[in-house]
Amino acid sequence: MSVSVLTVDDEADVAELFRQHFRHEVRQGQYVMHFACSAEEALNKLAKGIEPQLIVILSDINMPGMDGLAHTGSAY
């Protein structure tokens, strides 16, 4: 059974770091990784629905526009 992880960060290299760190779990089908470059993009992804079931959002706190704290509060 797979579950989703959403990572939100305005720095593009962070997505690659997470891809490398969780590569074994992704290959084994445990995790499906989703990435957003801004809080606004993350909220759009959440509004459309993320499949399989989302279990965690990993968010940068300091981002242009809506910061990670505001995003986390808006995600619920």
Side-chain angles (χ1 to χ4, degrees), residues 1-9 14-15 17-19 21-23 25-26 29-36 42 45-46 49-59 71:
M1 178 179 125
S2 294
V3 292
S4 291
V5 175
L6 173 60
T7 302
V8 186
D9 200 302
V14 171
L17 292 173
F18 277 97
R19 283 186 183 97
H21 183 79
F22 291 107
R23 68 184 178 275
E25 291 84 356
V26 170
Q30 294 174 320
Y31 296 153
V32 176
M33 303 297 294
H34 301 269
F35 299 97
K45 287 179 181 278
L46 291 168
I50 293 179
E51 293 295 330
Q53 180 184 6
L54 179 66
I55 61 162
V56 68
I57 299 172
L58 305 171
S59 182
H71 162 258

